[in-house]
Short mmCIF file of all heavy atoms in Angstrom, two decimals:
data_model
loop_
_atom_site.label_atom_id
_atom_site.label_comp_id
_atom_site.label_asym_id
_atom_site.label_seq_id
_atom_site.Cartn_x
_atom_site.Cartn_y
_atom_site.Cartn_z
N PRO Z 22 0.81 -1.21 0.01
CA PRO Z 22 0.01 -0.01 -0.06
C PRO Z 22 0.88 1.30 -0.02
O PRO Z 22 1.95 1.22 0.51
CB PRO Z 22 -0.87 -0.08 1.25
CG PRO Z 22 -0.34 -1.28 2.02
CD PRO Z 22 0.66 -2.01 1.19
N ARG Z 23 0.31 2.27 -0.57
CA ARG Z 23 0.98 3.59 -0.61
C ARG Z 23 0.44 4.54 0.47
O ARG Z 23 0.69 5.76 0.38
CB ARG Z 23 0.85 4.17 -2.03
CG ARG Z 23 1.47 3.34 -3.08
CD ARG Z 23 1.35 3.94 -4.47
NE ARG Z 23 0.02 4.41 -4.78
CZ ARG Z 23 -0.93 3.69 -5.42
NH1 ARG Z 23 -0.68 2.38 -5.72
NH2 ARG Z 23 -2.11 4.17 -5.65
N THR Z 24 -0.30 4.03 1.37
CA THR Z 24 -0.83 4.87 2.47
C THR Z 24 0.27 5.46 3.29
O THR Z 24 1.44 4.94 3.35
CB THR Z 24 -1.77 4.02 3.38
OG1 THR Z 24 -1.06 3.08 4.03
CG2 THR Z 24 -2.95 3.52 2.70
N ARG Z 25 -0.04 6.56 3.91
CA ARG Z 25 0.97 7.21 4.76
C ARG Z 25 0.14 7.87 5.88
O ARG Z 25 -1.06 7.89 5.82
CB ARG Z 25 1.85 8.21 3.99
CG ARG Z 25 1.02 9.33 3.29
CD ARG Z 25 1.97 10.07 2.29
NE ARG Z 25 1.23 11.17 1.79
CZ ARG Z 25 0.43 11.15 0.78
NH1 ARG Z 25 0.11 10.00 0.21
NH2 ARG Z 25 -0.19 12.20 0.29
N ARG Z 26 0.84 8.46 6.76
CA ARG Z 26 0.15 9.20 7.84
C ARG Z 26 0.61 10.69 7.77
O ARG Z 26 1.69 11.04 7.43
CB ARG Z 26 0.58 8.62 9.22
CG ARG Z 26 0.14 7.19 9.34
CD ARG Z 26 0.03 6.75 10.78
NE ARG Z 26 -1.15 7.23 11.52
CZ ARG Z 26 -2.39 6.77 11.36
NH1 ARG Z 26 -2.61 5.81 10.52
NH2 ARG Z 26 -3.37 7.22 12.07
N MET Z 27 -0.47 11.54 8.06
CA MET Z 27 -0.21 12.91 8.16
C MET Z 27 -0.39 13.24 9.69
O MET Z 27 -1.41 12.92 10.26
CB MET Z 27 -1.13 13.67 7.28
CG MET Z 27 -0.94 15.22 7.41
SD MET Z 27 -1.86 16.23 6.16
CE MET Z 27 -3.48 15.53 6.20
N GLU Z 28 0.60 13.93 10.21
CA GLU Z 28 0.50 14.27 11.64
C GLU Z 28 0.59 15.74 11.80
O GLU Z 28 1.22 16.49 11.07
CB GLU Z 28 1.60 13.59 12.43
CG GLU Z 28 1.43 12.09 12.35
CD GLU Z 28 2.52 11.30 13.04
OE1 GLU Z 28 3.50 11.89 13.56
OE2 GLU Z 28 2.35 10.06 13.18
N GLY Z 29 0.02 16.26 12.85
CA GLY Z 29 0.04 17.73 13.13
C GLY Z 29 -0.53 18.01 14.50
O GLY Z 29 -0.68 17.07 15.31
N ILE Z 30 -0.78 19.22 14.78
CA ILE Z 30 -1.31 19.62 16.07
C ILE Z 30 -2.52 20.60 15.81
O ILE Z 30 -2.43 21.50 15.06
CB ILE Z 30 -0.19 20.45 16.84
CG1 ILE Z 30 0.96 19.59 17.09
CG2 ILE Z 30 -0.80 20.99 18.14
CD1 ILE Z 30 2.16 20.35 17.67
N TRP Z 31 -3.65 20.24 16.54
CA TRP Z 31 -4.75 21.15 16.48
C TRP Z 31 -4.62 22.10 17.68
O TRP Z 31 -4.26 21.69 18.74
CB TRP Z 31 -6.04 20.32 16.69
CG TRP Z 31 -6.58 19.62 15.49
CD1 TRP Z 31 -6.62 20.12 14.21
CD2 TRP Z 31 -7.07 18.32 15.44
NE1 TRP Z 31 -7.16 19.19 13.37
CE2 TRP Z 31 -7.46 18.04 14.12
CE3 TRP Z 31 -7.27 17.33 16.43
CZ2 TRP Z 31 -8.04 16.80 13.70
CZ3 TRP Z 31 -7.83 16.13 15.96
CH2 TRP Z 31 -8.18 15.87 14.68
N GLU Z 32 -4.92 23.29 17.45
CA GLU Z 32 -4.91 24.31 18.58
C GLU Z 32 -6.41 24.65 18.78
O GLU Z 32 -7.11 25.04 17.91
CB GLU Z 32 -4.18 25.49 18.22
CG GLU Z 32 -2.59 25.24 18.12
CD GLU Z 32 -1.85 26.44 17.79
OE1 GLU Z 32 -2.40 27.52 17.37
OE2 GLU Z 32 -0.61 26.40 17.92
N ILE Z 33 -6.88 24.33 20.02
CA ILE Z 33 -8.23 24.58 20.34
C ILE Z 33 -8.29 25.79 21.39
O ILE Z 33 -7.79 25.71 22.39
CB ILE Z 33 -8.82 23.26 21.02
CG1 ILE Z 33 -8.64 22.07 20.10
CG2 ILE Z 33 -10.34 23.50 21.44
CD1 ILE Z 33 -8.83 20.75 20.76
N TYR Z 34 -8.96 26.78 20.83
CA TYR Z 34 -9.06 28.09 21.60
C TYR Z 34 -10.49 28.05 22.25
O TYR Z 34 -11.49 27.83 21.62
CB TYR Z 34 -8.89 29.24 20.72
CG TYR Z 34 -7.50 29.38 20.10
CD1 TYR Z 34 -7.21 28.78 18.90
CD2 TYR Z 34 -6.50 30.03 20.85
CE1 TYR Z 34 -5.90 28.83 18.45
CE2 TYR Z 34 -5.30 30.15 20.33
CZ TYR Z 34 -4.94 29.49 19.17
OH TYR Z 34 -3.67 29.59 18.64
N GLN Z 35 -10.47 28.44 23.55
CA GLN Z 35 -11.69 28.68 24.25
C GLN Z 35 -11.49 29.79 25.21
O GLN Z 35 -10.64 29.69 26.11
CB GLN Z 35 -12.11 27.41 25.01
CG GLN Z 35 -13.49 27.49 25.62
CD GLN Z 35 -13.95 26.14 26.15
OE1 GLN Z 35 -13.20 25.22 26.37
NE2 GLN Z 35 -15.21 26.12 26.45
N GLY Z 36 -12.19 30.85 24.99
CA GLY Z 36 -11.89 32.10 25.75
C GLY Z 36 -10.51 32.54 25.60
O GLY Z 36 -9.99 32.68 24.45
N ASN Z 37 -9.80 32.73 26.72
CA ASN Z 37 -8.38 33.13 26.67
C ASN Z 37 -7.43 32.00 26.68
O ASN Z 37 -6.19 32.20 26.78
CB ASN Z 37 -8.08 34.13 27.81
CG ASN Z 37 -8.78 35.39 27.70
OD1 ASN Z 37 -9.01 35.85 26.55
ND2 ASN Z 37 -9.13 36.05 28.76
N SER Z 38 -7.87 30.78 26.68
CA SER Z 38 -6.93 29.60 26.77
C SER Z 38 -6.90 28.91 25.48
O SER Z 38 -7.68 28.97 24.53
CB SER Z 38 -7.46 28.61 27.89
OG SER Z 38 -8.67 28.02 27.53
N CYS Z 39 -5.72 28.25 25.27
CA CYS Z 39 -5.41 27.45 24.10
C CYS Z 39 -4.91 26.08 24.50
O CYS Z 39 -4.00 26.03 25.25
CB CYS Z 39 -4.38 28.17 23.19
SG CYS Z 39 -3.95 27.22 21.76
N GLU Z 40 -5.54 25.04 23.98
CA GLU Z 40 -5.08 23.65 24.25
C GLU Z 40 -4.63 23.06 22.96
O GLU Z 40 -5.25 23.15 21.91
CB GLU Z 40 -6.27 22.87 24.81
CG GLU Z 40 -5.90 21.48 25.16
CD GLU Z 40 -7.05 20.71 25.78
OE1 GLU Z 40 -8.22 21.27 25.89
OE2 GLU Z 40 -6.90 19.53 26.09
N ALA Z 41 -3.42 22.44 23.00
CA ALA Z 41 -2.87 21.81 21.80
C ALA Z 41 -3.12 20.30 21.86
O ALA Z 41 -2.89 19.67 22.96
CB ALA Z 41 -1.37 22.07 21.73
N LYS Z 42 -3.59 19.75 20.79
CA LYS Z 42 -3.84 18.29 20.66
C LYS Z 42 -3.15 17.76 19.44
O LYS Z 42 -3.30 18.27 18.34
CB LYS Z 42 -5.37 18.00 20.56
CG LYS Z 42 -6.20 18.39 21.69
CD LYS Z 42 -6.15 17.30 22.75
CE LYS Z 42 -7.16 17.59 23.82
NZ LYS Z 42 -7.22 16.66 24.81
N ASN Z 43 -2.39 16.68 19.63
CA ASN Z 43 -1.76 16.06 18.49
C ASN Z 43 -2.78 15.19 17.78
O ASN Z 43 -3.71 14.69 18.25
CB ASN Z 43 -0.59 15.09 18.98
CG ASN Z 43 0.53 15.82 19.61
OD1 ASN Z 43 0.84 16.89 19.12
ND2 ASN Z 43 1.09 15.29 20.59
N TYR Z 44 -2.58 15.09 16.42
CA TYR Z 44 -3.39 14.23 15.62
C TYR Z 44 -2.59 13.45 14.59
O TYR Z 44 -1.52 13.83 14.24
CB TYR Z 44 -4.54 14.96 14.92
CG TYR Z 44 -4.11 15.89 13.79
CD1 TYR Z 44 -3.90 15.33 12.59
CD2 TYR Z 44 -3.88 17.22 13.94
CE1 TYR Z 44 -3.48 16.17 11.40
CE2 TYR Z 44 -3.49 18.08 12.93
CZ TYR Z 44 -3.32 17.47 11.69
OH TYR Z 44 -2.90 18.36 10.68
N SER Z 45 -3.13 12.33 14.22
CA SER Z 45 -2.54 11.46 13.15
C SER Z 45 -3.61 10.93 12.35
O SER Z 45 -4.52 10.29 12.83
CB SER Z 45 -1.71 10.37 13.84
OG SER Z 45 -1.15 9.47 12.90
N VAL Z 46 -3.57 11.13 11.02
CA VAL Z 46 -4.60 10.76 10.07
C VAL Z 46 -3.92 9.91 8.97
O VAL Z 46 -2.87 10.26 8.46
CB VAL Z 46 -5.23 11.93 9.43
CG1 VAL Z 46 -6.33 11.54 8.42
CG2 VAL Z 46 -5.89 12.83 10.48
N ARG Z 47 -4.58 8.77 8.60
CA ARG Z 47 -4.11 7.98 7.51
C ARG Z 47 -4.56 8.62 6.28
O ARG Z 47 -5.64 9.01 6.08
CB ARG Z 47 -4.68 6.54 7.68
CG ARG Z 47 -4.06 5.60 6.66
CD ARG Z 47 -4.43 4.17 6.84
NE ARG Z 47 -3.88 3.82 8.15
CZ ARG Z 47 -3.84 2.58 8.56
NH1 ARG Z 47 -4.15 1.61 7.80
NH2 ARG Z 47 -3.37 2.28 9.75
N VAL Z 48 -3.66 8.66 5.23
CA VAL Z 48 -3.92 9.25 3.94
C VAL Z 48 -3.72 8.13 2.89
O VAL Z 48 -2.76 7.44 2.88
CB VAL Z 48 -2.89 10.44 3.70
CG1 VAL Z 48 -3.19 11.06 2.25
CG2 VAL Z 48 -3.00 11.48 4.78
N TYR Z 49 -4.72 8.08 2.04
CA TYR Z 49 -4.76 7.03 0.99
C TYR Z 49 -4.68 7.78 -0.39
O TYR Z 49 -5.14 8.83 -0.58
CB TYR Z 49 -6.07 6.29 1.01
CG TYR Z 49 -6.29 5.46 2.21
CD1 TYR Z 49 -6.98 5.97 3.35
CD2 TYR Z 49 -5.86 4.19 2.29
CE1 TYR Z 49 -7.17 5.22 4.44
CE2 TYR Z 49 -6.05 3.42 3.45
CZ TYR Z 49 -6.77 3.89 4.50
OH TYR Z 49 -6.87 3.18 5.61
N GLU Z 50 -4.08 7.06 -1.35
CA GLU Z 50 -4.21 7.45 -2.73
C GLU Z 50 -5.66 7.20 -3.22
O GLU Z 50 -6.33 6.29 -2.65
CB GLU Z 50 -3.24 6.66 -3.59
CG GLU Z 50 -1.83 6.89 -3.35
CD GLU Z 50 -1.25 8.27 -3.72
OE1 GLU Z 50 -1.88 8.83 -4.75
OE2 GLU Z 50 -0.35 8.75 -3.22
N ASN Z 51 -6.16 7.90 -4.18
CA ASN Z 51 -7.53 7.73 -4.65
C ASN Z 51 -7.88 6.26 -4.99
O ASN Z 51 -8.87 5.74 -4.58
CB ASN Z 51 -7.91 8.65 -5.74
CG ASN Z 51 -7.97 10.14 -5.29
OD1 ASN Z 51 -7.97 10.39 -4.13
ND2 ASN Z 51 -8.09 10.99 -6.27
N ASP Z 52 -7.01 5.70 -5.81
CA ASP Z 52 -7.28 4.29 -6.27
C ASP Z 52 -7.24 3.36 -5.06
O ASP Z 52 -7.98 2.38 -5.04
CB ASP Z 52 -6.34 3.88 -7.35
CG ASP Z 52 -4.91 3.90 -6.97
OD1 ASP Z 52 -4.52 4.68 -6.06
OD2 ASP Z 52 -4.08 3.14 -7.56
N GLU Z 53 -6.46 3.54 -4.04
CA GLU Z 53 -6.38 2.71 -2.89
C GLU Z 53 -7.70 2.77 -2.14
O GLU Z 53 -8.30 1.77 -1.69
CB GLU Z 53 -5.26 3.12 -1.88
CG GLU Z 53 -3.87 2.72 -2.33
CD GLU Z 53 -2.89 3.21 -1.26
OE1 GLU Z 53 -2.77 4.42 -1.07
OE2 GLU Z 53 -2.28 2.34 -0.70
N PHE Z 54 -8.27 4.02 -2.02
CA PHE Z 54 -9.54 4.21 -1.28
C PHE Z 54 -10.64 3.56 -2.06
O PHE Z 54 -11.55 2.93 -1.42
CB PHE Z 54 -9.73 5.66 -0.99
CG PHE Z 54 -10.81 5.87 0.03
CD1 PHE Z 54 -10.54 5.70 1.40
CD2 PHE Z 54 -12.05 6.17 -0.33
CE1 PHE Z 54 -11.53 5.88 2.34
CE2 PHE Z 54 -13.08 6.43 0.64
CZ PHE Z 54 -12.77 6.26 1.93
N VAL Z 55 -10.67 3.67 -3.42
CA VAL Z 55 -11.72 3.03 -4.21
C VAL Z 55 -11.62 1.58 -4.01
O VAL Z 55 -12.64 0.86 -3.82
CB VAL Z 55 -11.57 3.45 -5.70
CG1 VAL Z 55 -12.43 2.53 -6.56
CG2 VAL Z 55 -11.89 4.89 -5.92
N ASP Z 56 -10.45 0.96 -4.02
CA ASP Z 56 -10.30 -0.52 -3.79
C ASP Z 56 -10.81 -0.93 -2.47
O ASP Z 56 -11.41 -1.93 -2.32
CB ASP Z 56 -8.79 -0.93 -4.01
CG ASP Z 56 -8.34 -0.85 -5.47
OD1 ASP Z 56 -9.18 -0.72 -6.37
OD2 ASP Z 56 -7.07 -0.88 -5.67
N LEU Z 57 -10.46 -0.08 -1.44
CA LEU Z 57 -10.97 -0.42 -0.04
C LEU Z 57 -12.51 -0.41 -0.02
O LEU Z 57 -13.10 -1.31 0.51
CB LEU Z 57 -10.42 0.59 0.97
CG LEU Z 57 -9.00 0.45 1.45
CD1 LEU Z 57 -8.64 1.65 2.26
CD2 LEU Z 57 -8.90 -0.78 2.24
N CYS Z 58 -13.09 0.62 -0.67
CA CYS Z 58 -14.62 0.64 -0.75
C CYS Z 58 -15.19 -0.58 -1.38
O CYS Z 58 -16.11 -1.20 -0.88
CB CYS Z 58 -15.00 1.95 -1.51
SG CYS Z 58 -14.71 3.45 -0.65
N LYS Z 59 -14.58 -0.96 -2.51
CA LYS Z 59 -15.09 -2.16 -3.23
C LYS Z 59 -14.85 -3.46 -2.44
O LYS Z 59 -15.75 -4.32 -2.48
CB LYS Z 59 -14.41 -2.21 -4.63
CG LYS Z 59 -14.96 -1.17 -5.53
CD LYS Z 59 -14.19 -1.22 -6.88
CE LYS Z 59 -14.78 -0.13 -7.82
NZ LYS Z 59 -14.14 -0.16 -9.16
N SER Z 60 -13.77 -3.52 -1.71
CA SER Z 60 -13.48 -4.71 -0.89
C SER Z 60 -14.43 -4.96 0.19
O SER Z 60 -14.54 -6.04 0.73
CB SER Z 60 -12.07 -4.64 -0.44
OG SER Z 60 -11.97 -3.73 0.72
N VAL Z 61 -15.23 -3.94 0.65
CA VAL Z 61 -16.20 -4.12 1.69
C VAL Z 61 -17.61 -3.98 1.20
O VAL Z 61 -18.56 -3.73 1.99
CB VAL Z 61 -15.91 -3.10 2.92
CG1 VAL Z 61 -14.64 -3.45 3.54
CG2 VAL Z 61 -16.04 -1.64 2.50
N GLY Z 62 -17.79 -4.13 -0.18
CA GLY Z 62 -19.09 -4.20 -0.75
C GLY Z 62 -19.72 -2.99 -1.42
O GLY Z 62 -20.82 -3.05 -1.87
N PHE Z 63 -18.92 -1.90 -1.39
CA PHE Z 63 -19.43 -0.71 -2.11
C PHE Z 63 -19.18 -0.90 -3.61
O PHE Z 63 -18.29 -1.62 -4.00
CB PHE Z 63 -18.74 0.57 -1.68
CG PHE Z 63 -19.21 1.04 -0.29
CD1 PHE Z 63 -18.52 0.67 0.84
CD2 PHE Z 63 -20.28 1.79 -0.20
CE1 PHE Z 63 -18.97 1.04 2.06
CE2 PHE Z 63 -20.82 2.22 1.05
CZ PHE Z 63 -20.12 1.86 2.19
N ARG Z 64 -19.97 -0.26 -4.46
CA ARG Z 64 -19.83 -0.35 -5.87
C ARG Z 64 -20.13 1.02 -6.48
O ARG Z 64 -20.49 1.96 -5.79
CB ARG Z 64 -20.72 -1.41 -6.48
CG ARG Z 64 -22.23 -1.17 -6.16
CD ARG Z 64 -23.09 -2.28 -6.64
NE ARG Z 64 -24.39 -2.18 -6.06
CZ ARG Z 64 -25.39 -1.30 -6.45
NH1 ARG Z 64 -25.09 -0.52 -7.48
NH2 ARG Z 64 -26.53 -1.25 -5.88
N ASP Z 65 -19.85 1.16 -7.73
CA ASP Z 65 -20.05 2.38 -8.42
C ASP Z 65 -19.47 3.60 -7.66
O ASP Z 65 -20.16 4.56 -7.37
CB ASP Z 65 -21.55 2.55 -8.61
CG ASP Z 65 -21.80 3.70 -9.65
OD1 ASP Z 65 -20.99 3.97 -10.56
OD2 ASP Z 65 -22.87 4.32 -9.58
N VAL Z 66 -18.15 3.54 -7.29
CA VAL Z 66 -17.49 4.53 -6.64
C VAL Z 66 -17.10 5.73 -7.51
O VAL Z 66 -16.43 5.45 -8.57
CB VAL Z 66 -16.24 4.01 -5.85
CG1 VAL Z 66 -15.53 5.12 -5.06
CG2 VAL Z 66 -16.54 2.74 -5.06
N LYS Z 67 -17.60 6.88 -7.18
CA LYS Z 67 -17.34 8.07 -8.00
C LYS Z 67 -16.44 9.02 -7.14
O LYS Z 67 -16.61 9.13 -5.93
CB LYS Z 67 -18.60 8.78 -8.41
CG LYS Z 67 -19.43 7.86 -9.38
CD LYS Z 67 -20.52 8.64 -9.97
CE LYS Z 67 -21.45 7.91 -10.91
NZ LYS Z 67 -21.12 6.69 -11.39
N ILE Z 68 -15.56 9.78 -7.83
CA ILE Z 68 -14.77 10.74 -7.17
C ILE Z 68 -15.02 12.15 -7.71
O ILE Z 68 -15.03 12.31 -8.92
CB ILE Z 68 -13.25 10.43 -7.35
CG1 ILE Z 68 -13.02 8.93 -6.97
CG2 ILE Z 68 -12.33 11.37 -6.52
CD1 ILE Z 68 -11.61 8.42 -7.29
N TYR Z 69 -15.19 13.08 -6.81
CA TYR Z 69 -15.50 14.51 -7.17
C TYR Z 69 -14.57 15.46 -6.57
O TYR Z 69 -13.88 15.18 -5.54
CB TYR Z 69 -16.94 14.84 -6.77
CG TYR Z 69 -17.99 13.99 -7.39
CD1 TYR Z 69 -18.63 13.03 -6.64
CD2 TYR Z 69 -18.29 14.16 -8.72
CE1 TYR Z 69 -19.56 12.23 -7.25
CE2 TYR Z 69 -19.30 13.32 -9.31
CZ TYR Z 69 -19.92 12.36 -8.54
OH TYR Z 69 -20.87 11.59 -9.09
N SER Z 70 -14.51 16.69 -7.07
CA SER Z 70 -13.66 17.74 -6.58
C SER Z 70 -14.35 18.72 -5.65
O SER Z 70 -13.68 19.51 -4.95
CB SER Z 70 -13.03 18.57 -7.72
OG SER Z 70 -12.12 17.82 -8.44
N ASP Z 71 -15.72 18.62 -5.61
CA ASP Z 71 -16.46 19.49 -4.69
C ASP Z 71 -17.79 18.92 -4.50
O ASP Z 71 -18.17 18.02 -5.13
CB ASP Z 71 -16.50 20.94 -5.32
CG ASP Z 71 -17.11 21.00 -6.69
OD1 ASP Z 71 -17.99 20.24 -7.00
OD2 ASP Z 71 -16.68 21.88 -7.44
N TRP Z 72 -18.56 19.60 -3.64
CA TRP Z 72 -20.01 19.14 -3.30
C TRP Z 72 -20.95 19.30 -4.51
O TRP Z 72 -22.01 18.73 -4.47
CB TRP Z 72 -20.48 19.75 -2.01
CG TRP Z 72 -19.68 19.33 -0.82
CD1 TRP Z 72 -18.79 20.01 -0.13
CD2 TRP Z 72 -19.75 17.99 -0.26
NE1 TRP Z 72 -18.31 19.25 0.89
CE2 TRP Z 72 -18.87 18.02 0.84
CE3 TRP Z 72 -20.47 16.83 -0.56
CZ2 TRP Z 72 -18.62 16.93 1.68
CZ3 TRP Z 72 -20.24 15.72 0.31
CH2 TRP Z 72 -19.37 15.80 1.36
N ALA Z 73 -20.60 20.08 -5.47
CA ALA Z 73 -21.38 20.31 -6.66
C ALA Z 73 -21.31 19.18 -7.66
O ALA Z 73 -22.10 19.18 -8.69
CB ALA Z 73 -21.06 21.68 -7.28
N GLY Z 74 -20.40 18.26 -7.46
CA GLY Z 74 -20.26 17.13 -8.34
C GLY Z 74 -19.34 17.28 -9.48
O GLY Z 74 -19.37 16.60 -10.56
N THR Z 75 -18.42 18.30 -9.37
CA THR Z 75 -17.42 18.53 -10.38
C THR Z 75 -16.52 17.37 -10.49
O THR Z 75 -16.06 16.89 -9.44
CB THR Z 75 -16.62 19.85 -10.05
OG1 THR Z 75 -17.55 20.93 -9.89
CG2 THR Z 75 -15.60 20.09 -11.16
N PRO Z 76 -16.23 16.79 -11.65
CA PRO Z 76 -15.35 15.66 -11.76
C PRO Z 76 -14.02 15.93 -11.16
O PRO Z 76 -13.54 17.11 -11.11
CB PRO Z 76 -15.15 15.46 -13.27
CG PRO Z 76 -16.40 16.07 -13.85
CD PRO Z 76 -16.82 17.19 -12.98
N TYR Z 77 -13.36 14.96 -10.56
CA TYR Z 77 -12.12 15.09 -9.78
C TYR Z 77 -11.03 15.63 -10.66
O TYR Z 77 -10.83 15.15 -11.81
CB TYR Z 77 -11.71 13.80 -9.14
CG TYR Z 77 -10.44 14.00 -8.33
CD1 TYR Z 77 -10.42 14.68 -7.20
CD2 TYR Z 77 -9.24 13.47 -8.84
CE1 TYR Z 77 -9.24 14.89 -6.45
CE2 TYR Z 77 -8.04 13.63 -8.13
CZ TYR Z 77 -8.05 14.32 -6.96
OH TYR Z 77 -6.95 14.49 -6.29
N ARG Z 78 -10.22 16.61 -10.15
CA ARG Z 78 -8.98 17.17 -10.73
C ARG Z 78 -7.86 16.99 -9.75
O ARG Z 78 -8.10 17.18 -8.55
CB ARG Z 78 -9.24 18.61 -11.18
CG ARG Z 78 -10.33 18.93 -12.09
CD ARG Z 78 -10.38 20.45 -12.39
NE ARG Z 78 -10.12 21.23 -11.23
CZ ARG Z 78 -11.02 21.78 -10.35
NH1 ARG Z 78 -12.29 21.47 -10.58
NH2 ARG Z 78 -10.70 22.46 -9.36
N GLU Z 79 -6.72 16.76 -10.25
CA GLU Z 79 -5.52 16.63 -9.41
C GLU Z 79 -5.25 17.91 -8.58
O GLU Z 79 -4.72 17.88 -7.53
CB GLU Z 79 -4.27 16.29 -10.26
CG GLU Z 79 -4.31 14.86 -10.71
CD GLU Z 79 -4.06 13.83 -9.61
OE1 GLU Z 79 -3.38 14.13 -8.65
OE2 GLU Z 79 -4.73 12.78 -9.69
N ASP Z 80 -5.68 19.13 -9.10
CA ASP Z 80 -5.37 20.31 -8.40
C ASP Z 80 -6.50 20.77 -7.48
O ASP Z 80 -6.52 21.90 -6.96
CB ASP Z 80 -5.07 21.41 -9.39
CG ASP Z 80 -6.25 21.81 -10.32
OD1 ASP Z 80 -7.15 20.95 -10.41
OD2 ASP Z 80 -6.25 22.88 -10.88
N ALA Z 81 -7.51 19.87 -7.31
CA ALA Z 81 -8.67 20.21 -6.43
C ALA Z 81 -8.22 20.39 -5.03
O ALA Z 81 -7.28 19.75 -4.49
CB ALA Z 81 -9.69 19.15 -6.53
N GLU Z 82 -8.88 21.16 -4.21
CA GLU Z 82 -8.63 21.46 -2.81
C GLU Z 82 -9.20 20.30 -1.92
O GLU Z 82 -8.78 20.14 -0.79
CB GLU Z 82 -9.19 22.77 -2.32
CG GLU Z 82 -8.37 23.98 -2.93
CD GLU Z 82 -8.86 25.27 -2.33
OE1 GLU Z 82 -9.45 25.27 -1.24
OE2 GLU Z 82 -8.62 26.30 -3.02
N MET Z 83 -10.21 19.60 -2.49
CA MET Z 83 -10.75 18.52 -1.66
C MET Z 83 -11.07 17.35 -2.64
O MET Z 83 -11.07 17.49 -3.87
CB MET Z 83 -12.06 18.94 -0.92
CG MET Z 83 -13.16 19.37 -1.82
SD MET Z 83 -14.73 19.76 -0.94
CE MET Z 83 -14.23 21.30 -0.22
N VAL Z 84 -11.33 16.21 -2.01
CA VAL Z 84 -11.77 15.03 -2.78
C VAL Z 84 -12.94 14.41 -2.07
O VAL Z 84 -12.94 14.35 -0.87
CB VAL Z 84 -10.54 14.01 -2.98
CG1 VAL Z 84 -10.03 13.49 -1.63
CG2 VAL Z 84 -11.09 12.87 -3.80
N ILE Z 85 -14.01 14.09 -2.87
CA ILE Z 85 -15.25 13.54 -2.25
C ILE Z 85 -15.48 12.27 -2.96
O ILE Z 85 -15.61 12.24 -4.17
CB ILE Z 85 -16.44 14.54 -2.43
CG1 ILE Z 85 -16.09 15.85 -1.69
CG2 ILE Z 85 -17.72 13.93 -1.99
CD1 ILE Z 85 -16.98 16.99 -1.96
N PHE Z 86 -15.69 11.17 -2.14
CA PHE Z 86 -16.00 9.88 -2.75
C PHE Z 86 -17.53 9.62 -2.47
O PHE Z 86 -17.95 9.87 -1.36
CB PHE Z 86 -15.22 8.79 -2.01
CG PHE Z 86 -13.76 8.81 -2.32
CD1 PHE Z 86 -12.90 9.65 -1.60
CD2 PHE Z 86 -13.23 8.11 -3.36
CE1 PHE Z 86 -11.56 9.68 -1.86
CE2 PHE Z 86 -11.84 8.09 -3.64
CZ PHE Z 86 -11.09 8.92 -2.91
N VAL Z 87 -18.22 9.15 -3.49
CA VAL Z 87 -19.61 8.76 -3.33
C VAL Z 87 -19.71 7.27 -3.91
O VAL Z 87 -19.29 7.05 -4.96
CB VAL Z 87 -20.53 9.67 -4.16
CG1 VAL Z 87 -22.01 9.21 -4.06
CG2 VAL Z 87 -20.38 11.07 -3.67
N ALA Z 88 -20.27 6.41 -3.02
CA ALA Z 88 -20.37 5.00 -3.41
C ALA Z 88 -21.74 4.44 -3.04
O ALA Z 88 -22.37 5.02 -2.20
CB ALA Z 88 -19.22 4.16 -2.73
N THR Z 89 -22.08 3.36 -3.70
CA THR Z 89 -23.37 2.72 -3.52
C THR Z 89 -23.12 1.38 -2.83
O THR Z 89 -22.19 0.68 -3.22
CB THR Z 89 -24.14 2.51 -4.85
OG1 THR Z 89 -24.22 3.76 -5.44
CG2 THR Z 89 -25.44 1.93 -4.58
N LYS Z 90 -23.91 1.06 -1.87
CA LYS Z 90 -23.77 -0.25 -1.11
C LYS Z 90 -24.90 -1.12 -1.45
O LYS Z 90 -26.04 -0.69 -1.56
CB LYS Z 90 -23.65 0.03 0.40
CG LYS Z 90 -23.51 -1.28 1.16
CD LYS Z 90 -22.13 -1.43 1.57
CE LYS Z 90 -21.97 -2.67 2.45
NZ LYS Z 90 -20.79 -2.80 3.11
#
C-alpha cells in the first residue's frame, strides 16, 4: 500500500486559553480508497472535486467519494 500518515497539532481556543492536541490521520491514494470501498461491498465509486459534483481534478482542494452499497 501507498498509504501514509499525516500528523500535526490542533490548537483549540476557548476564551483566553489554548489547548494543543496532536493528531494522526491515515492518507490514501484515490485508487487505494476506491479499492478499499469495493473490498467491503461498495460499488459504483465516484470521485468529485467539490460538493457540486465537479469531476475530480488533481489540483482540487478536496476530494469527495460517493459510493453505493
Side-chain angles (χ1 to χ4, degrees):
R23 297 180 312 269
T24 61
R25 60 191 185 280
R26 295 202 78 75
M27 180 170 45
E28 298 179 353
I30 300 173
W31 283 316
E32 293 181 344
I33 303 164
Y34 294 90
Q35 188 171 14
N37 292 330
S38 66
C39 176
E40 182 179 0
K42 296 276 190 181
N43 293 325
Y44 70 85
S45 178
V46 178
R47 187 172 299 198
V48 180
Y49 296 92
E50 296 288 333
N51 288 350
D52 60 333
E53 286 181 294
F54 196 77
V55 168
D56 290 344
L57 281 172
C58 290
K59 290 179 177 180
S60 75
V61 295
F63 286 94
R64 56 187 167 77
D65 194 29
V66 182
K67 296 191 180 345
I68 307 172
Y69 301 105
S70 290
D71 56 35
W72 292 108
T75 303
Y77 179 72
R78 297 180 324 267
E79 287 291 323
D80 64 342
E82 290 186 22
M83 65 175 72
V84 59
I85 298 168
F86 292 86
V87 177
T89 305
K90 181 99 177 194

